Amino acid sequence: TQLLEQSPQFLSIQEGENLTVYCNSSSVFSSLQWYRQEPGEGPVLLVTVVTGGEVKKLKRLTFQFGDARKDSSLHITAAQPGDTGLYLCAGDSAGTASKLTFGTGTRLQVTL
Amino acid sequence: DSGVTQTPKHLITATGQRVTLRCSPRSGDLSVYWYQQSLDQGLQFLIQYYNGEERAKGNILERFSAQQFPDLHSELNLSSLELGDSALYFCASSVSGSPLETQYFGPGTRLLVL
């Protein structure tokens, strides 16, 4: 079974601080996605990374896929209260279908 | 709003019962996925359908079954319910179900088994 461990599990920071969330696995994934989920809603896709070493930026969010495609990180610069939510990484194993394996999740709270 | 609808929003039932969860994908999407989210197991992939046919299977129990109808809506049937089946059940849809495609998640059905 492929497992994706995220750290930290919980993070409470103040507005303006920077943070990094990690997603680690012993398995290789053909692609990795990051989602944000807010209470009472389904996850929403933030980004997909495909190539080992790839870095993608989405405004204040920077996503990196590890060289060996086993791990990923999400860095948020100058966090805002609107960044509050559950961040999930999800790895997709190779194949013709899409079978996402989700990480354990990082719950982020950003306060004023 | 993702465009994916799920009904009911909440469901309370007793152990041993059977329930049906319904999902309508985004207009134009042919593939539907079902996920279970619980506190101890996190978000887990259950099953995927494409244009009425099962395409991929995950950690779906034998007591659970799903199908996708000609109008592309999907139903997840949960039978002989146990306390541990209490969870959020999400449906997602994508255009063709291929890897790298964006999956759009519905708002979920919260199931409580008493």
Side-chain angles (χ1 to χ4, degrees):
Chain A
T1 304
Q2 297 171 313
L3 293 173
L4 277 168
E5 296 287 337
Q6 286 184 238
S7 60
Q9 196 175 356
F10 299 99
L11 196 52
S12 181
I13 61 172
Q14 291 192 315
E15 182 180 20
E17 291 185 31
N18 301 331
L19 66 117
T20 302
V21 176
Y22 299 93
C23 172
N24 294 293
S25 174
S26 58
S27 302
V28 175
F29 291 98
S30 57
S31 66
L32 198 133
Q33 299 179 334
W34 283 93
Y35 290 80
R36 181 170 66 217
Q37 184 179 13
E38 299 187 24
E41 298 180 12
V44 175
L45 179 66
L46 296 173
V47 78
T48 300
V49 285
V50 179
T51 307
E54 181 178 1
V55 176
K56 276 193 175 178
K57 292 192 174 186
L58 185 67
K59 296 183 181 177
R60 294 175 295 100
L61 279 59
T62 302
F63 305 86
Q64 183 161 9
F65 202 10
D67 291 340
R69 291 187 287 127
K70 292 182 179 181
D71 55 85
S72 181
S73 64
L74 157 60
H75 182 80
I76 301 180
T77 303
Q80 298 177 0
D83 296 327
T84 294
L86 177 66
Y87 288 82
L88 296 161
C89 62
D92 202 344
S93 48
T96 56
S98 180
K99 293 177 65 173
L100 290 178
T101 300
F102 278 84
T104 48
T106 294
R107 195 166 294 279
L108 171 66
Q109 182 169 23
V110 183
T111 55
L112 293 170
Chain B
D1 184 356
S2 66
V4 178
T5 60
Q6 291 186 246
T7 57
K9 194 168 177 62
H10 301 277
L11 198 49
I12 302 175
T13 188
T15 54
Q17 295 298 304
R18 173 190 170 93
V19 297
T20 297
L21 312 184
R22 183 188 168 101
C23 167
S24 291
R26 290 188 326 150
S27 176
D29 284 359
L30 298 177
S31 193
V32 167
Y33 312 76
W34 285 98
Y35 293 88
Q36 179 194 59
Q37 187 173 38
S38 61
L39 283 174
D40 57 343
Q41 295 290 328
L43 190 59
Q44 290 201 312
F45 167 73
L46 295 178
I47 197 164
Q48 178 196 3
Y49 280 83
Y50 171 74
N51 206 20
E53 299 291 324
E54 181 184 308
R55 176 171 275 191
K57 225 170 184 176
N59 300 321
I60 188 166
L61 299 172
E62 284 191 14
R63 300 184 286 108
F64 296 181
S65 65
Q67 58 185 127
Q68 187 179 25
F69 295 86
D71 67 351
L72 300 177
H73 91 271
S74 178
E75 292 181 356
L76 178 66
N77 300 294
L78 315 176
S79 61
S80 303
L81 284 167
E82 302 175 359
L83 296 177
D85 297 328
S86 296
L88 265 169
Y89 290 85
F90 287 103
C91 165
S93 73
S94 70
V95 175
S96 68
S98 300
L100 300 183
E101 257 188 4
T102 299
Q103 293 184 27
Y104 294 89
F105 283 76
T109 292
R110 185 176 293 277
L111 173 67
L112 180 60
V113 182
L114 300 175

